[in-house]
Every structure is written in structure tokens, then in C-alpha cells.
Amino acid sequence: MRNLPHDDYIEAVTVALDTAGLPTEDVRTDDCETRGTYCYLNAVIEVNLQHTSHAEDWPHGLLLIWEWHSGIEAEHGEPDKGPVWQFAELKEDGSNEYPTELPVYGYASPAAVADAARKVISREIGAGHSFNYGRAKWDGGIIGDSWEQHAELDAACEAWGAEEAKE
């Protein structure tokens, strides 16, 4: 198993979530391929709320999704270059709702991700309507700050993207 540029970052976010009383389960990092044309970095964190005070409102849990895109095909409708955090509610069958952008920086501090997740769980931040895919119902602006190691992470992601573009 090879190390990916975002492994340490996602581990730090996982620790922050667990410390905040938001127990993580099934944390995965990967490099993914889309339509056979380009790769992107991905992380999925499942927050299991079954044994918390939020179990009734979130019986199947919450997904936090982080992606870093190379921007290679942004002109064709693919995501812009850089990182983004999203969230989605899990359903009973293991699928999830349409992911909605989490109002944090792409390289948000782990504490900011935990704070934003708390706001999602309390329904202060909600998923957008189907005609407004990806937009959160939230007017509180960006939550928190960037991770203190964001410059190093960005450089590592850029280097990874340059290497992938060669292939």
C-alpha cells in the first residue's frame, strides 16, 4: 500500500473528529480515476453517530468527503483545480444523499472540519435543494481556518498531480 499525499492530513482530521466526540469509522484515502481520463485524490470518513445523542437524527451516520482535483478537465465540466470538503447523510441501504459542499477551506484545519461537522449534525448546515446541487444551506461563511501544514500538503498534491499527468 503506497502513501498518498493526503494520508497524514486525513489522519489528523480523524483524530480531531474522534476527540470532538464524533466517532469515525471506515476511513479511506485513495487516488481515483474518473471516466478513464484523469485521476484525483479522495478521502471518505464515515462518522458513526449510533452511540451518541444524535443517533435518532442520524441513524445511519454522516459521510465527510475530501477531494483534490488536478483541474485537467475543468473546462469540460469536471471540478476545478484544488481541494474541497463535502458531506452527505448515509441511508439505510449504505448509499448516501447527494454530497453537499462543506463551508470550510479545502485544506481546513482538522478542528474546523470537526466544528463544521457538528454544525451539520445539529442541522445548522443543511444540504441544498436538488436544483442547487452541492450548495449548503448556510449563511455563516467559511468555518475555521486552514491547516498549519496546508502549504506542504498543497505542494505534495501538486507534485502527485504532475506525476499523474505524465502517465
Side-chain angles (χ1 to χ4, degrees):
M1 185 171 175
R2 72 179 185 159
N3 290 333
L4 294 168
H6 58 306
D7 287 345
D8 291 341
Y9 175 53
I10 298 305
E11 176 62 26
V13 170
T14 300
V15 168
L17 290 163
D18 289 334
T19 301
L22 304 174
T24 59
E25 180 178 281
D26 194 20
V27 178
R28 299 179 306 267
T29 61
D30 202 0
D31 54 344
C32 303
E33 187 173 344
T34 302
R35 292 188 226 154
T37 57
Y38 75 100
C39 290
Y40 63 98
L41 296 170
N42 174 268
V44 177
I45 302 170
E46 184 178 331
V47 179
N48 182 343
L49 300 165
Q50 289 180 338
H51 302 291
T52 71
S53 61
H54 305 287
E56 191 173 308
D57 293 331
W58 293 86
H60 310 295
L62 169 70
L63 283 183
L64 296 173
I65 304 159
W66 181 86
E67 293 181 352
W68 181 88
H69 290 268
S70 64
I72 292 171
E73 295 195 344
E75 64 191 38
H76 301 293
E78 297 297 335
D80 291 332
K81 184 176 189 169
V84 65
W85 276 100
Q86 298 175 314
F87 70 93
E89 187 168 353
L90 282 167
K91 297 179 181 181
E92 184 175 9
D93 65 2
S95 65
N96 56 269
E97 296 292 337
Y98 193 88
T100 298
E101 195 168 322
L102 194 63
V104 296
Y105 293 108
Y107 297 121
S109 71
V113 176
D115 189 30
R118 273 193 231 104
K119 291 180 185 318
V120 169
I121 292 165
S122 70
R123 306 286 186 190
E124 290 176 65
I125 298 173
H129 299 290
S130 61
F131 61 83
N132 195 16
Y133 287 117
R135 298 284 181 211
K137 293 186 224 172
W138 168 254
D139 59 3
I142 298 293
I143 297 169
D145 54 3
S146 293
W147 192 37
E148 65 273 359
Q149 298 173 35
H150 74 277
E152 295 91 342
L153 177 56
D154 185 55
C157 291
E158 289 289 339
W160 178 88
E163 191 63 33
E164 288 297 316
K166 291 180 188 176
E167 296 179 9

